Amino acid sequence: MTYPVDGALLFFTTFLIMAADTVQISPRLSIPLSEVRFSFDRSPGPGGQNVNKVNTRAELRFSVSSSPSLTRSMRKRICRELSARLNQEGELVLRSSRFRSQARNRADCLEKFAALLAEALRPPPPKRRPSRPSKASVAKRLDRKRAHSQKKSL
């Protein structure tokens, strides 16, 4: 999973998400920004005066259990796949403090959110169909065993 580092691309991505007022998860699912709550606080770690004065860390909260955009099966799959990331209330909480600006951290949260939900909603791979070894491969294996056994007995 790669995140754009170029400010122009990030701004463009944020603009597209903001213009549509939705977060596009897949071609069939988009979640309105009204279902996502943001809060901002001071970023941890080094950064000088900017860190001490400006609330740049973005925190995204999305209530999986009460989202009208999700079907029951989607909700169950998300709860199962992202159970370690959900809190007691069934909220998905994501934080971002990678960048020095609030807008870029907010866009980073939205990208992480879209990627996580898309990954959780991807259908599981098809089950493996059990196969049997062919008669030729069984015969070849038994011949090798027989030859090895004769070599050992000499």
Side-chain angles (χ1 to χ4, degrees), residues 1 3 23-25 109-120:
M1 174 171 16
Y3 299 107
V23 180
Q24 194 70 33
I25 305 300
C109 273
L110 288 172
E111 287 180 19
K112 286 179 185 178
F113 173 65
L116 267 175
L117 286 189
E119 181 70 27

Side-chain angles (χ1 to χ4, degrees), residues 11-70:
F11 174 76
F12 184 68
T13 305
T14 307
F15 179 73
L16 284 177
I17 290 172
M18 298 292 250
D21 286 335
T22 61
V23 180
Q24 194 70 33
I25 305 300
S26 68
R28 297 180 63 192
L29 175 66
S30 62
I31 296 182
L33 285 178
S34 60
E35 291 184 31
V36 177
R37 290 192 333 262
F38 277 99
S39 60
F40 302 96
D41 58 350
R42 294 192 179 126
S43 288
Q49 294 177 8
N50 192 56
V51 169
N52 299 329
K53 292 194 289 188
V54 184
N55 292 331
T56 55
R57 178 170 66 176
E59 180 180 271
L60 177 146
R61 288 182 175 267
F62 174 69
S63 180
V64 175
S65 56
S66 65
S67 172
S69 301
L70 301 173

Side-chain angles (χ1 to χ4, degrees), residues 72-135:
R72 180 175 286 144
S73 62
M74 287 178 176
R75 201 171 287 124
K76 283 171 99 174
R77 179 174 271 157
I78 289 171
C79 287
R80 185 177 61 243
E81 296 292 322
L82 300 178
S83 62
R85 289 180 164 266
L86 298 177
N87 63 14
Q88 298 275 339
E89 294 83 38
E91 284 185 328
L92 177 65
V93 181
L94 298 172
R95 289 184 189 89
S96 177
S97 57
R98 283 179 37 173
F99 301 103
R100 288 174 51 98
S101 77
Q102 194 180 88
R104 292 175 79 183
N105 283 330
R106 184 175 189 271
D108 191 40
C109 273
L110 288 172
E111 287 180 19
K112 286 179 185 178
F113 173 65
L116 267 175
L117 286 189
E119 181 70 27
L121 291 172
R122 189 169 16 163
K127 296 229 181 217
R128 181 187 170 276
R129 238 181 65 216
S131 58
R132 295 176 57 190
S134 66
K135 283 185 180 180

